[in-house]
Amino acid sequence: AAKTGGAVQVHKNDTVKRTAMARTGLGREGKPIRLLSNHFAVKLSGIDAVFYQYSVSIKSDDDQVVEGKGIGRKVIDKMLQTYSSELAGKDFAYDGEKCLFTVGPLPQNNFEFTVIMEETSARAVGGSPGHESPGPGDKKRVKRSHLPKQFVVGISYAARIPLRSVALALQGSDSDHAQDALRVLDIVLRQQQAKRGCLLVRQSFFSDDSRNLVDLTGGVSGCRGLHSSFRTTMNGLSLNMDVSTTMIVTPGPVVNFLLTNQNVRDVRDIDWPKAKRMLKNLRVKATHNNMEFKIIGLSDQPCSRQTFPMKVRSGSSEGQTVDITVEEYFKSKQVFLEKPYLPCLDVGKPKRPNYLPIELGNMISLQRYTKALSSQQRTTLVEKSRQKPQDRMRVVTDAVKSNRYDDDPIFSSCGIKIDSQLTRVEGRVLSAPMLVVGNSQDCVPFKGRWNYNNKKLFEPVRIERWAIVNFSARCDMSRISRELINCGRTKGIIIEGPYSLVDEDNQARRCAPIVRVERMFEKVKANLPGPPEFLLCVLPERKNCDIYGNMLNNILLLFVDLHVTIFFYSLEGPWKKKNLHEMGIVTQCIVPSAKMNDQYFTNVLLKINAKLGGMNSKLALEHSRQIPVINKIPTIILGMDVSHGSPGRSDIPSIAAVVGSRCWPLISRYRASVRTQSPKVEMIDSLFKPLDNGKDDGIIRELLLDFYTTSQQRKPEQIIIFRDGVSESQFSQVLNLEVDQIIKAYQNMGQGPPPKITVIIAQKNHHTKLFQADAPDNVPAGTVVDKGIVHPKQYDFYMCAHAGPIGTSRPTHYHVLLDQIGFTPDELQSLVLSLSYVYQRSTTAISVVAPICYAHLAAAQMSQFIKFEFADTSSGSGVPSSSTAATVPELPRLHADVCSSMFFC
């Protein structure tokens, strides 16, 4: 295993299972730098302690299983108060669902307790809101909802988790229970925050403090909180603390929320069907009695006309049932409505409506907003969530000091003490690779950046047959043409005058996007003597997206989960599909901007040049054919990523994209292959796709054939895989499912023994941050850390290849799972840094290797091909039909003229 760079386990059935390799050594190259990390050292003195795990079941008095986390925690807390002696006074760590943990065993393995919860007026669980809010039920039902509620709690022994397993893991030993023990420690932290009234989202928690809120418009706020997790590192056990942000519904009056959410000023303009979908399952507090309710819908009539039956007593008799309006009821209770013409919130149950005037409802705080954000909301969130390194350091350090986590009785019994100072880390700053631009001129990046001032592109193209098409109402196409040609000339790109400047007809702007695209192509064909090699498409201004937003209004009403991102892709999707799938024409879309200066057109030309087969810059080592390990042996580099649909859209297929390098020994040119797969599935299942006739229609075959034809008919003897988007729990699947598919695809082509394979996972979605110990700025571009805070056994390292001018830089966490090629740590880290400098779209080093960025771009572009097809067929509920769920539609294949291009640039 040491020679092949990975551990291999052979089971009785002779199947080979790969496991993540161990670290082979440490890097040495680069300038040393003193760093701090947002890890806090944890001293673990009670390693002989043992956690006992128990399964928990909670049932109500009608034998229904209780699922809600909130009520679950309350029931368990009440059980501890009531039955403390029976439980030997043990402290519990409860996960809010079906597991609780103790240090040491309980007196017996099985318990069953009856827990009685006193109902309070602040939360009427599952019943009528009471006398102050009308319902169709009678007085007996109203009274019954406030009687004590009884629960039956079952506890049964499940497992034994020794804390010593963590100590063994820290020593590099394989331990079956280490992750389980760390999970218990994380649950203890979560329980602390739950008792403080925080919103828990996985391993992050958010407190109810208005100072932590950032208004994102649309009734949505960003809520800043903290992430916490225990991690085993080379230095020992540590607590990773970081700033985290989640989206919540902006608290306040329901009416204000709807006005903001729908971007209208008057309640008479509110779209009530849309409001009903948006409000469903949100919780409100009634202003007249402070009771909380969950919204299940809206009334059919306004308060002034919505009636419900109510029994009226007449002396000692039972009385009679009369219909009364909601407005009349509240008036009888001295609650006078200002807007009786608005509908009521239905806060009852499906067959027992319970009406609360909408003006009396306030959105309660800390309710998660799980729908997709608009482009503007995402931009606002990024801008307002930025923190300078010093500010982030202060926030996490203050949190550890003020929360006093190690005062918890469970931590105390385990001998756990958490340091309050950031962990010191030794890092290295690698030198940026030299680049080569036009006329073989050297270009030396400075702080991760370079430019093309007084420079030409390394391999500029010549554009002769092209045109500009204009979907924008206000755009000076002549100026765009002139500026683009002039800028291209300075960069070495010869651009002839466009064949035509094609404006959209005014009447076409009211048509559906697909119709607009078809009509535009009819005009293009009429104005051009033949097929163009390139089309520049001017999209409508984002600020004026309502000029074609109205035509999608009906679609948006039906498919609210698409949110406003549909505006920006409504034309671009059909346009890209028409060009890349049907016509085989390279296209570049732009949006008019006030900042259309030389830098703007340079950035556009970088994309155009790469799409048309040119090269903007290349590595000096690439130019001189001196890239270590890769130069002498044919090597293909793969970047793999899976893009999933928006939150809540379980009917939209996931898009798997893989890019492969071509023209070996270059590592700057790539081709993409993209497929659909089942929604929300992360593992790529179409790398090897055998058909009934024995042929392979998978992704890898397509990329291997392209490599062969562009690399002097040489087959790759080495494959380097960069995989994005997988968690540590999925590493084994990558190693055994995806790598197996790649080997089968290779062997299916009759190309002899499998090549040597190196598998590297790139993770951006983590919470480790690096700070300079002696400066307030972000860490320099090229900073790498492979000791201290890394895994105690596995082969991983952190790299910040890019320069972070604003906010706090996030390093990429690279995990080397398999290295049959046999890179030294320095060679591998140098390759990773170099691949951050070959991204043809920009003049900066990027935060993750270019093949992964390209795979992400390819998936995003191809996903536009099917967005409207699903908008036309899916239901507003976001639940797929049985036929949709059973079959995954295939993506339209790219036209032969563009399939090998870098269309995704």
Side-chain angles (χ1 to χ4, degrees), residues 297-325:
L298 296 177
S299 63
D300 296 328
Q301 300 291 330
C303 296
S304 58
R305 296 203 302 269
Q306 182 65 54
T307 61
F308 66 96
M310 186 174 72
K311 283 190 176 181
V312 179
R313 286 183 177 274
S314 179
S316 60
S317 63
E318 191 66 26
Q320 60 180 355
T321 300
V322 298
D323 286 340
I324 183 173
T325 68

Side-chain angles (χ1 to χ4, degrees), residues 21-79:
M21 67 180 291
R23 188 181 307 279
T24 58
L26 301 176
R28 298 176 180 275
E29 293 182 1
K31 179 182 177 182
I33 184 172
R34 297 201 307 162
L35 302 171
L36 297 171
S37 177
N38 58 339
H39 286 234
F40 297 84
V42 178
K43 293 180 180 178
L44 188 63
S45 58
I47 60 172
D48 292 329
V50 177
F51 294 121
Y52 280 74
Q53 177 180 338
Y54 295 87
S55 298
V56 177
S57 67
I58 304 175
K59 294 184 178 180
S60 57
D61 49 7
D62 56 359
D63 207 35
Q64 294 294 312
V65 176
V66 176
E67 299 288 353
K69 293 183 181 180
I71 188 66
R73 289 189 186 277
K74 291 182 178 180
V75 171
I76 294 298
D77 286 345
K78 184 69 174 180
M79 181 194 73

